[in-house]
Amino acid sequence: DTQMTQSPSTLSASVGDRVTMTCRASQSISSWLAWYQQKPGQAPKLLIYKASHLETGVPSRFSGSGSGTEFTLTISSLQPDDFATYYCLQYNSYSWTFGQGTKVEIK
Amino acid sequence: EVQLVESGGGLVQPGTSLRLSCAASGFRFDDYGMHWVRQAPGKGLEWVAGISWNSGSIFYADSVKGRFTISRDNAKNSLFLQLNSLRLEDTAMYYCAKGVWNSYLQDWGQGTPVIVSS
């Protein structure tokens, strides 16, 4: 099974900051990676699929990159609505695994 | 508008069973794979099970294999999860989610809570 490791676990940042977080796969998953945002008491929301494709309606300040085993999610200018927990999901060959999450908190 | 509404959660004792349901609307249900994902209190997301559009392909997480059964009724636009031999560590919010089969999870319900306690 493919394991997913996210870093950092917590990220402290200010409004306007450029924020980057990483997701690493234990084996190559090509570009079969999605990113989700989850706020307390809410269901996860899809942000990015196939590593770099922005879901319809998601602000363009979110971007994803990477392939193989290393992936990043970048928020170009952090907004108050972006303080949340972010999860990656690998979906390769009938296997689905989430990373443990990165919490973005107010500095 | 896609809607996924889970139901059936509750407080149960260890060793007992529960059946969760997910009512889908706003899309052609039999075109999509469906999944259950859970989240223990204060913890991260854990994929639990997935089923293809025609029930021909089903996969489970190792943590629930042999105890949980995913199924669907395309005529009723409904997804189910039968939870047997429940353990304390099965306590979680259970979400249903939709996606193209063998691909990412695109839309999610709001979840139904399962609490396993003696």
mmCIF file of all heavy atoms in Angstrom, chain A residues 1 34 36 38 41-46 49-50 55 87 89 91-100, chain B residues 35 37 39 43-47 50 57 59 62 95 100-111:
data_model
loop_
_atom_site.group_PDB
_atom_site.id
_atom_site.type_symbol
_atom_site.label_atom_id
_atom_site.label_comp_id
_atom_site.label_asym_id
_atom_site.label_seq_id
_atom_site.Cartn_x
_atom_site.Cartn_y
_atom_site.Cartn_z
ATOM 1 N N ASP A 1 0.833 -1.204 0.000
ATOM 2 C CA ASP A 1 0.000 0.000 0.000
ATOM 3 C C ASP A 1 0.867 1.253 0.000
ATOM 4 O O ASP A 1 1.933 1.289 0.607
ATOM 5 C CB ASP A 1 -0.904 0.023 1.237
ATOM 6 C CG ASP A 1 -2.019 -1.005 1.155
ATOM 7 O OD1 ASP A 1 -2.075 -1.719 0.129
ATOM 8 O OD2 ASP A 1 -2.806 -1.101 2.092
ATOM 9 N N ALA A 34 -4.664 14.440 -5.206
ATOM 10 C CA ALA A 34 -5.623 15.522 -5.002
ATOM 11 C C ALA A 34 -5.330 16.213 -3.677
ATOM 12 O O ALA A 34 -4.733 15.622 -2.769
ATOM 13 C CB ALA A 34 -7.049 14.977 -5.009
ATOM 14 N N TYR A 36 -7.275 18.623 -0.578
ATOM 15 C CA TYR A 36 -8.551 19.019 0.016
ATOM 16 C C TYR A 36 -8.307 20.017 1.139
ATOM 17 O O TYR A 36 -7.294 19.960 1.834
ATOM 18 C CB TYR A 36 -9.291 17.806 0.591
ATOM 19 C CG TYR A 36 -9.642 16.778 -0.458
ATOM 20 C CD1 TYR A 36 -8.720 15.800 -0.841
ATOM 21 C CD2 TYR A 36 -10.878 16.775 -1.086
ATOM 22 C CE1 TYR A 36 -9.021 14.871 -1.818
ATOM 23 C CE2 TYR A 36 -11.198 15.848 -2.063
ATOM 24 C CZ TYR A 36 -10.258 14.891 -2.427
ATOM 25 O OH TYR A 36 -10.569 13.966 -3.390
ATOM 26 N N GLN A 38 -10.187 21.375 4.668
ATOM 27 C CA GLN A 38 -11.251 21.073 5.623
ATOM 28 C C GLN A 38 -11.231 22.081 6.761
ATOM 29 O O GLN A 38 -10.194 22.302 7.384
ATOM 30 C CB GLN A 38 -11.131 19.660 6.173
ATOM 31 C CG GLN A 38 -12.338 19.265 7.026
ATOM 32 C CD GLN A 38 -12.236 17.879 7.626
ATOM 33 O OE1 GLN A 38 -11.153 17.399 7.951
ATOM 34 N NE2 GLN A 38 -13.379 17.204 7.759
ATOM 35 N N GLY A 41 -15.777 21.163 11.660
ATOM 36 C CA GLY A 41 -17.201 20.906 11.561
ATOM 37 C C GLY A 41 -17.739 20.817 10.143
ATOM 38 O O GLY A 41 -18.951 20.693 9.948
ATOM 39 N N GLN A 42 -16.847 20.855 9.154
ATOM 40 C CA GLN A 42 -17.272 20.798 7.764
ATOM 41 C C GLN A 42 -16.668 19.592 7.051
ATOM 42 O O GLN A 42 -15.652 19.035 7.472
ATOM 43 C CB GLN A 42 -16.873 22.072 7.016
ATOM 44 C CG GLN A 42 -17.547 23.332 7.532
ATOM 45 C CD GLN A 42 -17.215 24.546 6.690
ATOM 46 O OE1 GLN A 42 -16.752 24.424 5.536
ATOM 47 N NE2 GLN A 42 -17.458 25.729 7.233
ATOM 48 N N ALA A 43 -17.301 19.218 5.937
ATOM 49 C CA ALA A 43 -16.750 18.167 5.094
ATOM 50 C C ALA A 43 -15.547 18.712 4.313
ATOM 51 O O ALA A 43 -15.433 19.925 4.099
ATOM 52 C CB ALA A 43 -17.811 17.681 4.111
ATOM 53 N N PRO A 44 -14.657 17.838 3.899
ATOM 54 C CA PRO A 44 -13.542 18.288 3.047
ATOM 55 C C PRO A 44 -14.057 18.858 1.731
ATOM 56 O O PRO A 44 -15.116 18.473 1.235
ATOM 57 C CB PRO A 44 -12.746 17.000 2.811
ATOM 58 C CG PRO A 44 -13.118 16.105 3.940
ATOM 59 C CD PRO A 44 -14.549 16.414 4.236
ATOM 60 N N LYS A 45 -13.264 19.768 1.172
ATOM 61 C CA LYS A 45 -13.594 20.406 -0.105
ATOM 62 C C LYS A 45 -12.426 20.192 -1.072
ATOM 63 O O LYS A 45 -11.268 20.447 -0.724
ATOM 64 C CB LYS A 45 -13.817 21.909 0.105
ATOM 65 C CG LYS A 45 -13.986 22.707 -1.168
ATOM 66 C CD LYS A 45 -13.997 24.197 -0.863
ATOM 67 C CE LYS A 45 -13.979 25.031 -2.133
ATOM 68 N NZ LYS A 45 -13.889 26.478 -1.856
ATOM 69 N N LEU A 46 -12.733 19.712 -2.263
ATOM 70 C CA LEU A 46 -11.697 19.471 -3.275
ATOM 71 C C LEU A 46 -11.123 20.792 -3.789
ATOM 72 O O LEU A 46 -11.871 21.694 -4.180
ATOM 73 C CB LEU A 46 -12.286 18.675 -4.435
ATOM 74 C CG LEU A 46 -11.359 18.421 -5.629
ATOM 75 C CD1 LEU A 46 -10.216 17.488 -5.234
ATOM 76 C CD2 LEU A 46 -12.155 17.839 -6.797
ATOM 77 N N TYR A 49 -6.889 18.471 -8.347
ATOM 78 C CA TYR A 49 -6.852 17.073 -8.726
ATOM 79 C C TYR A 49 -5.783 16.860 -9.783
ATOM 80 O O TYR A 49 -5.325 17.824 -10.408
ATOM 81 C CB TYR A 49 -8.224 16.579 -9.205
ATOM 82 C CG TYR A 49 -8.723 17.295 -10.446
ATOM 83 C CD1 TYR A 49 -8.494 16.786 -11.712
ATOM 84 C CD2 TYR A 49 -9.422 18.491 -10.322
ATOM 85 C CE1 TYR A 49 -8.938 17.445 -12.835
ATOM 86 C CE2 TYR A 49 -9.875 19.174 -11.446
ATOM 87 C CZ TYR A 49 -9.626 18.641 -12.700
ATOM 88 O OH TYR A 49 -10.067 19.296 -13.816
ATOM 89 N N LYS A 50 -5.381 15.644 -9.958
ATOM 90 C CA LYS A 50 -4.310 15.284 -10.884
ATOM 91 C C LYS A 50 -3.091 16.193 -10.692
ATOM 92 O O LYS A 50 -2.503 16.690 -11.661
ATOM 93 C CB LYS A 50 -4.799 15.314 -12.330
ATOM 94 C CG LYS A 50 -3.993 14.407 -13.253
ATOM 95 C CD LYS A 50 -4.569 14.383 -14.662
ATOM 96 C CE LYS A 50 -3.705 13.509 -15.561
ATOM 97 N NZ LYS A 50 -4.183 13.519 -16.965
ATOM 98 N N GLU A 55 -9.748 22.730 -9.274
ATOM 99 C CA GLU A 55 -11.179 22.435 -9.348
ATOM 100 C C GLU A 55 -11.955 23.709 -9.669
ATOM 101 O O GLU A 55 -11.584 24.809 -9.225
ATOM 102 C CB GLU A 55 -11.646 21.816 -8.021
ATOM 103 C CG GLU A 55 -13.145 21.597 -7.878
ATOM 104 C CD GLU A 55 -13.696 20.482 -8.761
ATOM 105 O OE1 GLU A 55 -12.979 20.011 -9.663
ATOM 106 O OE2 GLU A 55 -14.857 20.069 -8.528
ATOM 107 N N TYR A 87 -5.408 18.320 3.301
ATOM 108 C CA TYR A 87 -5.066 16.909 3.154
ATOM 109 C C TYR A 87 -4.747 16.588 1.698
ATOM 110 O O TYR A 87 -5.419 17.081 0.785
ATOM 111 C CB TYR A 87 -6.242 16.016 3.575
ATOM 112 C CG TYR A 87 -6.607 16.079 5.038
ATOM 113 C CD1 TYR A 87 -7.583 16.958 5.492
ATOM 114 C CD2 TYR A 87 -5.972 15.255 5.969
ATOM 115 C CE1 TYR A 87 -7.925 17.016 6.841
ATOM 116 C CE2 TYR A 87 -6.306 15.303 7.313
ATOM 117 C CZ TYR A 87 -7.282 16.186 7.738
ATOM 118 O OH TYR A 87 -7.612 16.240 9.069
ATOM 119 N N LEU A 89 -4.501 13.351 -1.060
ATOM 120 C CA LEU A 89 -5.083 12.021 -1.299
ATOM 121 C C LEU A 89 -4.432 11.433 -2.538
ATOM 122 O O LEU A 89 -4.453 12.054 -3.604
ATOM 123 C CB LEU A 89 -6.591 12.120 -1.531
ATOM 124 C CG LEU A 89 -7.269 10.858 -2.089
ATOM 125 C CD1 LEU A 89 -7.319 9.767 -1.019
ATOM 126 C CD2 LEU A 89 -8.664 11.166 -2.623
ATOM 127 N N TYR A 91 -4.607 8.488 -5.376
ATOM 128 C CA TYR A 91 -5.635 7.603 -5.941
ATOM 129 C C TYR A 91 -5.032 6.866 -7.131
ATOM 130 O O TYR A 91 -5.301 7.156 -8.287
ATOM 131 C CB TYR A 91 -6.888 8.382 -6.321
ATOM 132 C CG TYR A 91 -6.678 9.590 -7.202
ATOM 133 C CD1 TYR A 91 -6.866 9.519 -8.568
ATOM 134 C CD2 TYR A 91 -6.316 10.819 -6.649
ATOM 135 C CE1 TYR A 91 -6.695 10.640 -9.380
ATOM 136 C CE2 TYR A 91 -6.153 11.933 -7.442
ATOM 137 C CZ TYR A 91 -6.340 11.842 -8.797
ATOM 138 O OH TYR A 91 -6.161 12.938 -9.595
ATOM 139 N N ASN A 92 -4.207 5.909 -6.836
ATOM 140 C CA ASN A 92 -3.474 5.197 -7.868
ATOM 141 C C ASN A 92 -3.833 3.725 -7.847
ATOM 142 O O ASN A 92 -3.748 3.088 -6.796
ATOM 143 C CB ASN A 92 -1.971 5.387 -7.631
ATOM 144 C CG ASN A 92 -1.118 4.731 -8.686
ATOM 145 O OD1 ASN A 92 -1.368 4.878 -9.878
ATOM 146 N ND2 ASN A 92 -0.090 4.018 -8.264
ATOM 147 N N SER A 93 -4.246 3.181 -8.978
ATOM 148 C CA SER A 93 -4.475 1.746 -9.124
ATOM 149 C C SER A 93 -5.401 1.176 -8.065
ATOM 150 O O SER A 93 -5.034 0.254 -7.328
ATOM 151 C CB SER A 93 -3.125 0.997 -9.096
ATOM 152 O OG SER A 93 -2.323 1.382 -10.182
ATOM 153 N N TYR A 94 -6.599 1.711 -7.982
ATOM 154 C CA TYR A 94 -7.645 1.213 -7.088
ATOM 155 C C TYR A 94 -7.180 1.210 -5.629
ATOM 156 O O TYR A 94 -7.463 0.274 -4.867
ATOM 157 C CB TYR A 94 -8.106 -0.184 -7.500
ATOM 158 C CG TYR A 94 -8.596 -0.232 -8.920
ATOM 159 C CD1 TYR A 94 -7.802 -0.766 -9.928
ATOM 160 C CD2 TYR A 94 -9.841 0.296 -9.253
ATOM 161 C CE1 TYR A 94 -8.246 -0.787 -11.245
ATOM 162 C CE2 TYR A 94 -10.287 0.285 -10.569
ATOM 163 C CZ TYR A 94 -9.485 -0.263 -11.549
ATOM 164 O OH TYR A 94 -9.923 -0.270 -12.848
ATOM 165 N N SER A 95 -6.460 2.247 -5.269
ATOM 166 C CA SER A 95 -5.987 2.425 -3.910
ATOM 167 C C SER A 95 -6.140 3.901 -3.552
ATOM 168 O O SER A 95 -5.838 4.763 -4.382
ATOM 169 C CB SER A 95 -4.516 1.998 -3.823
ATOM 170 O OG SER A 95 -3.929 2.418 -2.620
ATOM 171 N N TRP A 96 -6.631 4.179 -2.377
ATOM 172 C CA TRP A 96 -6.844 5.561 -1.947
ATOM 173 C C TRP A 96 -6.246 5.721 -0.549
ATOM 174 O O TRP A 96 -6.580 4.946 0.368
ATOM 175 C CB TRP A 96 -8.340 5.887 -1.884
ATOM 176 C CG TRP A 96 -9.028 5.868 -3.211
ATOM 177 C CD1 TRP A 96 -9.265 6.928 -4.044
ATOM 178 C CD2 TRP A 96 -9.587 4.716 -3.882
ATOM 179 N NE1 TRP A 96 -9.936 6.526 -5.169
ATOM 180 C CE2 TRP A 96 -10.141 5.169 -5.110
ATOM 181 C CE3 TRP A 96 -9.670 3.362 -3.576
ATOM 182 C CZ2 TRP A 96 -10.766 4.309 -6.017
ATOM 183 C CZ3 TRP A 96 -10.281 2.499 -4.480
ATOM 184 C CH2 TRP A 96 -10.817 2.978 -5.684
ATOM 185 N N THR A 97 -5.391 6.726 -0.384
ATOM 186 C CA THR A 97 -4.751 6.960 0.900
ATOM 187 C C THR A 97 -4.604 8.456 1.125
ATOM 188 O O THR A 97 -4.112 9.172 0.250
ATOM 189 C CB THR A 97 -3.331 6.335 0.976
ATOM 190 O OG1 THR A 97 -3.342 5.009 0.466
ATOM 191 C CG2 THR A 97 -2.829 6.340 2.412
ATOM 192 N N PHE A 98 -5.014 8.920 2.310
ATOM 193 C CA PHE A 98 -4.852 10.320 2.683
ATOM 194 C C PHE A 98 -3.542 10.519 3.436
ATOM 195 O O PHE A 98 -3.083 9.621 4.160
ATOM 196 C CB PHE A 98 -5.999 10.768 3.589
ATOM 197 C CG PHE A 98 -7.316 10.913 2.894
ATOM 198 C CD1 PHE A 98 -8.232 9.878 2.903
ATOM 199 C CD2 PHE A 98 -7.658 12.095 2.250
ATOM 200 C CE1 PHE A 98 -9.460 10.001 2.270
ATOM 201 C CE2 PHE A 98 -8.878 12.231 1.607
ATOM 202 C CZ PHE A 98 -9.782 11.180 1.615
ATOM 203 N N GLY A 99 -2.991 11.719 3.296
ATOM 204 C CA GLY A 99 -1.940 12.138 4.210
ATOM 205 C C GLY A 99 -2.565 12.512 5.546
ATOM 206 O O GLY A 99 -3.791 12.583 5.681
ATOM 207 N N GLN A 100 -1.708 12.780 6.541
ATOM 208 C CA GLN A 100 -2.216 13.027 7.894
ATOM 209 C C GLN A 100 -2.650 14.468 8.100
ATOM 210 O O GLN A 100 -3.212 14.790 9.154
ATOM 211 C CB GLN A 100 -1.147 12.630 8.933
ATOM 212 C CG GLN A 100 -0.061 13.664 9.143
ATOM 213 C CD GLN A 100 1.061 13.587 8.125
ATOM 214 O OE1 GLN A 100 0.908 13.032 7.031
ATOM 215 N NE2 GLN A 100 2.207 14.146 8.500
ATOM 216 N N HIS B 35 -17.706 6.238 -2.378
ATOM 217 C CA HIS B 35 -16.776 5.880 -1.309
ATOM 218 C C HIS B 35 -17.337 6.244 0.054
ATOM 219 O O HIS B 35 -18.197 7.122 0.165
ATOM 220 C CB HIS B 35 -15.448 6.634 -1.489
ATOM 221 C CG HIS B 35 -14.764 6.401 -2.787
ATOM 222 N ND1 HIS B 35 -13.739 5.494 -2.935
ATOM 223 C CD2 HIS B 35 -14.962 6.948 -4.016
ATOM 224 C CE1 HIS B 35 -13.325 5.492 -4.192
ATOM 225 N NE2 HIS B 35 -14.055 6.373 -4.873
ATOM 226 N N VAL B 37 -15.562 7.513 3.692
ATOM 227 C CA VAL B 37 -14.360 8.015 4.351
ATOM 228 C C VAL B 37 -14.744 8.358 5.782
ATOM 229 O O VAL B 37 -15.837 8.880 6.022
ATOM 230 C CB VAL B 37 -13.817 9.271 3.626
ATOM 231 C CG1 VAL B 37 -12.627 9.860 4.382
ATOM 232 C CG2 VAL B 37 -13.439 8.938 2.189
ATOM 233 N N GLN B 39 -13.524 9.920 9.834
ATOM 234 C CA GLN B 39 -12.619 10.817 10.552
ATOM 235 C C GLN B 39 -12.903 10.685 12.045
ATOM 236 O O GLN B 39 -13.965 11.101 12.522
ATOM 237 C CB GLN B 39 -12.823 12.260 10.086
ATOM 238 C CG GLN B 39 -11.829 13.244 10.652
ATOM 239 C CD GLN B 39 -11.914 14.587 9.966
ATOM 240 O OE1 GLN B 39 -12.989 15.048 9.576
ATOM 241 N NE2 GLN B 39 -10.753 15.241 9.800
ATOM 242 N N LYS B 43 -8.852 13.712 14.576
ATOM 243 C CA LYS B 43 -7.863 13.021 13.744
ATOM 244 C C LYS B 43 -8.056 13.347 12.270
ATOM 245 O O LYS B 43 -8.924 14.120 11.893
ATOM 246 C CB LYS B 43 -7.975 11.504 13.964
ATOM 247 C CG LYS B 43 -7.790 11.074 15.411
ATOM 248 C CD LYS B 43 -6.406 11.406 15.929
ATOM 249 C CE LYS B 43 -6.220 10.890 17.348
ATOM 250 N NZ LYS B 43 -4.883 11.253 17.902
ATOM 251 N N GLY B 44 -7.237 12.715 11.419
ATOM 252 C CA GLY B 44 -7.285 12.950 9.989
ATOM 253 C C GLY B 44 -8.299 12.072 9.276
ATOM 254 O O GLY B 44 -9.039 11.301 9.900
ATOM 255 N N LEU B 45 -8.309 12.206 7.961
ATOM 256 C CA LEU B 45 -9.235 11.455 7.118
ATOM 257 C C LEU B 45 -8.693 10.057 6.847
ATOM 258 O O LEU B 45 -7.495 9.891 6.609
ATOM 259 C CB LEU B 45 -9.436 12.191 5.795
ATOM 260 C CG LEU B 45 -9.992 13.607 5.888
ATOM 261 C CD1 LEU B 45 -9.912 14.295 4.539
ATOM 262 C CD2 LEU B 45 -11.427 13.591 6.412
ATOM 263 N N GLU B 46 -9.586 9.077 6.853
ATOM 264 C CA GLU B 46 -9.214 7.695 6.544
ATOM 265 C C GLU B 46 -10.193 7.149 5.519
ATOM 266 O O GLU B 46 -11.388 7.060 5.785
ATOM 267 C CB GLU B 46 -9.230 6.816 7.797
ATOM 268 C CG GLU B 46 -8.856 5.365 7.503
ATOM 269 C CD GLU B 46 -9.048 4.430 8.690
ATOM 270 O OE1 GLU B 46 -9.748 4.791 9.651
ATOM 271 O OE2 GLU B 46 -8.513 3.309 8.652
ATOM 272 N N TRP B 47 -9.695 6.772 4.343
ATOM 273 C CA TRP B 47 -10.537 6.126 3.341
ATOM 274 C C TRP B 47 -10.934 4.744 3.874
ATOM 275 O O TRP B 47 -10.093 4.000 4.388
ATOM 276 C CB TRP B 47 -9.772 5.990 2.034
ATOM 277 C CG TRP B 47 -10.517 5.247 0.978
ATOM 278 C CD1 TRP B 47 -11.468 5.737 0.143
ATOM 279 C CD2 TRP B 47 -10.381 3.856 0.660
ATOM 280 N NE1 TRP B 47 -11.939 4.737 -0.672
ATOM 281 C CE2 TRP B 47 -11.288 3.573 -0.379
ATOM 282 C CE3 TRP B 47 -9.583 2.828 1.160
ATOM 283 C CZ2 TRP B 47 -11.419 2.297 -0.933
ATOM 284 C CZ3 TRP B 47 -9.702 1.564 0.610
ATOM 285 C CH2 TRP B 47 -10.615 1.309 -0.424
ATOM 286 N N GLY B 50 -14.641 1.660 -1.205
ATOM 287 C CA GLY B 50 -15.096 2.237 -2.464
ATOM 288 C C GLY B 50 -15.789 1.190 -3.308
ATOM 289 O O GLY B 50 -15.477 -0.012 -3.217
ATOM 290 N N SER B 57 -16.690 -3.769 -8.815
ATOM 291 C CA SER B 57 -15.357 -3.584 -8.245
ATOM 292 C C SER B 57 -15.520 -2.939 -6.875
ATOM 293 O O SER B 57 -16.129 -1.871 -6.760
ATOM 294 C CB SER B 57 -14.528 -2.697 -9.176
ATOM 295 O OG SER B 57 -13.211 -2.567 -8.736
ATOM 296 N N PHE B 59 -13.460 -2.252 -2.994
ATOM 297 C CA PHE B 59 -12.206 -2.274 -2.239
ATOM 298 C C PHE B 59 -12.449 -1.763 -0.821
ATOM 299 O O PHE B 59 -13.323 -0.923 -0.595
ATOM 300 C CB PHE B 59 -11.151 -1.410 -2.923
ATOM 301 C CG PHE B 59 -10.729 -1.938 -4.266
ATOM 302 C CD1 PHE B 59 -11.395 -1.542 -5.408
ATOM 303 C CD2 PHE B 59 -9.684 -2.835 -4.386
ATOM 304 C CE1 PHE B 59 -11.033 -2.030 -6.657
ATOM 305 C CE2 PHE B 59 -9.310 -3.331 -5.619
ATOM 306 C CZ PHE B 59 -9.988 -2.938 -6.761
ATOM 307 N N ASP B 62 -7.678 -2.047 5.006
ATOM 308 C CA ASP B 62 -7.356 -3.233 5.803
ATOM 309 C C ASP B 62 -8.014 -3.175 7.181
ATOM 310 O O ASP B 62 -8.367 -4.213 7.741
ATOM 311 C CB ASP B 62 -5.836 -3.360 5.969
ATOM 312 C CG ASP B 62 -5.142 -3.793 4.683
ATOM 313 O OD1 ASP B 62 -5.835 -4.291 3.763
ATOM 314 O OD2 ASP B 62 -3.910 -3.630 4.601
ATOM 315 N N TYR B 95 -18.277 9.909 6.212
ATOM 316 C CA TYR B 95 -18.686 10.686 5.049
ATOM 317 C C TYR B 95 -18.861 9.774 3.835
ATOM 318 O O TYR B 95 -18.050 8.852 3.628
ATOM 319 C CB TYR B 95 -17.608 11.706 4.676
ATOM 320 C CG TYR B 95 -17.323 12.772 5.697
ATOM 321 C CD1 TYR B 95 -16.243 12.665 6.574
ATOM 322 C CD2 TYR B 95 -18.116 13.918 5.781
ATOM 323 C CE1 TYR B 95 -15.957 13.662 7.484
ATOM 324 C CE2 TYR B 95 -17.845 14.915 6.700
ATOM 325 C CZ TYR B 95 -16.767 14.778 7.554
ATOM 326 O OH TYR B 95 -16.489 15.758 8.461
ATOM 327 N N VAL B 100 -15.403 9.857 -10.080
ATOM 328 C CA VAL B 100 -15.199 8.964 -11.212
ATOM 329 C C VAL B 100 -14.420 7.759 -10.679
ATOM 330 O O VAL B 100 -13.500 7.915 -9.883
ATOM 331 C CB VAL B 100 -14.417 9.663 -12.336
ATOM 332 C CG1 VAL B 100 -14.046 8.681 -13.433
ATOM 333 C CG2 VAL B 100 -15.211 10.836 -12.880
ATOM 334 N N TRP B 101 -14.809 6.564 -11.093
ATOM 335 C CA TRP B 101 -14.187 5.369 -10.517
ATOM 336 C C TRP B 101 -12.686 5.338 -10.778
ATOM 337 O O TRP B 101 -12.209 5.698 -11.836
ATOM 338 C CB TRP B 101 -14.843 4.097 -11.060
ATOM 339 C CG TRP B 101 -14.345 2.850 -10.404
ATOM 340 C CD1 TRP B 101 -13.825 1.754 -11.023
ATOM 341 C CD2 TRP B 101 -14.297 2.577 -8.998
ATOM 342 N NE1 TRP B 101 -13.455 0.819 -10.081
ATOM 343 C CE2 TRP B 101 -13.731 1.294 -8.838
ATOM 344 C CE3 TRP B 101 -14.668 3.301 -7.845
ATOM 345 C CZ2 TRP B 101 -13.550 0.706 -7.577
ATOM 346 C CZ3 TRP B 101 -14.484 2.718 -6.608
ATOM 347 C CH2 TRP B 101 -13.931 1.438 -6.479
ATOM 348 N N ASN B 102 -11.935 4.884 -9.768
ATOM 349 C CA ASN B 102 -10.479 4.834 -9.779
ATOM 350 C C ASN B 102 -9.881 6.228 -9.931
ATOM 351 O O ASN B 102 -8.832 6.402 -10.546
ATOM 352 C CB ASN B 102 -9.943 3.906 -10.876
ATOM 353 C CG ASN B 102 -8.490 3.529 -10.633
ATOM 354 O OD1 ASN B 102 -8.029 3.491 -9.499
ATOM 355 N ND2 ASN B 102 -7.755 3.266 -11.710
ATOM 356 N N SER B 103 -10.541 7.188 -9.353
ATOM 357 C CA SER B 103 -10.071 8.566 -9.426
ATOM 358 C C SER B 103 -10.343 9.269 -8.098
ATOM 359 O O SER B 103 -10.670 8.620 -7.101
ATOM 360 C CB SER B 103 -10.758 9.284 -10.586
ATOM 361 O OG SER B 103 -10.168 10.553 -10.808
ATOM 362 N N TYR B 104 -10.156 10.582 -8.105
ATOM 363 C CA TYR B 104 -10.294 11.339 -6.860
ATOM 364 C C TYR B 104 -11.746 11.446 -6.414
ATOM 365 O O TYR B 104 -12.679 11.162 -7.165
ATOM 366 C CB TYR B 104 -9.680 12.736 -7.040
ATOM 367 C CG TYR B 104 -10.287 13.526 -8.172
ATOM 368 C CD1 TYR B 104 -11.349 14.388 -7.965
ATOM 369 C CD2 TYR B 104 -9.772 13.431 -9.469
ATOM 370 C CE1 TYR B 104 -11.903 15.107 -9.000
ATOM 371 C CE2 TYR B 104 -10.322 14.139 -10.518
ATOM 372 C CZ TYR B 104 -11.388 14.980 -10.279
ATOM 373 O OH TYR B 104 -11.933 15.694 -11.319
ATOM 374 N N LEU B 105 -11.932 11.844 -5.152
ATOM 375 C CA LEU B 105 -13.246 12.042 -4.572
ATOM 376 C C LEU B 105 -13.615 13.506 -4.780
ATOM 377 O O LEU B 105 -12.919 14.400 -4.300
ATOM 378 C CB LEU B 105 -13.223 11.696 -3.081
ATOM 379 C CG LEU B 105 -13.284 10.217 -2.709
ATOM 380 C CD1 LEU B 105 -12.176 9.402 -3.346
ATOM 381 C CD2 LEU B 105 -13.265 10.060 -1.202
ATOM 382 N N GLN B 106 -14.692 13.736 -5.500
ATOM 383 C CA GLN B 106 -15.002 15.099 -5.926
ATOM 384 C C GLN B 106 -15.989 15.807 -5.003
ATOM 385 O O GLN B 106 -15.785 16.959 -4.649
ATOM 386 C CB GLN B 106 -15.552 15.095 -7.347
ATOM 387 C CG GLN B 106 -15.779 16.484 -7.922
ATOM 388 C CD GLN B 106 -16.172 16.447 -9.373
ATOM 389 O OE1 GLN B 106 -16.722 15.462 -9.855
ATOM 390 N NE2 GLN B 106 -15.890 17.514 -10.104
ATOM 391 N N ASP B 107 -17.062 15.123 -4.629
ATOM 392 C CA ASP B 107 -18.105 15.740 -3.807
ATOM 393 C C ASP B 107 -18.332 14.907 -2.561
ATOM 394 O O ASP B 107 -18.261 13.678 -2.616
ATOM 395 C CB ASP B 107 -19.411 15.859 -4.598
ATOM 396 C CG ASP B 107 -19.265 16.760 -5.812
ATOM 397 O OD1 ASP B 107 -19.166 17.990 -5.605
ATOM 398 O OD2 ASP B 107 -19.231 16.238 -6.932
ATOM 399 N N TRP B 108 -18.641 15.590 -1.471
ATOM 400 C CA TRP B 108 -18.774 14.944 -0.164
ATOM 401 C C TRP B 108 -20.094 15.318 0.490
ATOM 402 O O TRP B 108 -20.599 16.434 0.311
ATOM 403 C CB TRP B 108 -17.645 15.418 0.757
ATOM 404 C CG TRP B 108 -16.267 15.092 0.300
ATOM 405 C CD1 TRP B 108 -15.638 15.543 -0.824
ATOM 406 C CD2 TRP B 108 -15.321 14.284 0.984
ATOM 407 N NE1 TRP B 108 -14.368 15.046 -0.894
ATOM 408 C CE2 TRP B 108 -14.138 14.273 0.213
ATOM 409 C CE3 TRP B 108 -15.340 13.567 2.178
ATOM 410 C CZ2 TRP B 108 -12.994 13.571 0.595
ATOM 411 C CZ3 TRP B 108 -14.199 12.865 2.561
ATOM 412 C CH2 TRP B 108 -13.044 12.867 1.778
ATOM 413 N N GLY B 109 -20.621 14.384 1.295
ATOM 414 C CA GLY B 109 -21.739 14.704 2.157
ATOM 415 C C GLY B 109 -21.249 15.364 3.435
ATOM 416 O O GLY B 109 -20.041 15.570 3.612
ATOM 417 N N GLN B 110 -22.177 15.668 4.334
ATOM 418 C CA GLN B 110 -21.827 16.336 5.592
ATOM 419 C C GLN B 110 -21.494 15.342 6.712
ATOM 420 O O GLN B 110 -21.043 15.747 7.786
ATOM 421 C CB GLN B 110 -22.953 17.267 6.023
ATOM 422 C CG GLN B 110 -23.034 18.531 5.186
ATOM 423 C CD GLN B 110 -21.712 19.293 5.190
ATOM 424 O OE1 GLN B 110 -21.159 19.640 6.233
ATOM 425 N NE2 GLN B 110 -21.158 19.560 4.001
ATOM 426 N N GLY B 111 -21.740 14.071 6.463
ATOM 427 C CA GLY B 111 -21.314 13.048 7.416
ATOM 428 C C GLY B 111 -22.397 12.621 8.392
ATOM 429 O O GLY B 111 -23.359 13.352 8.642
#
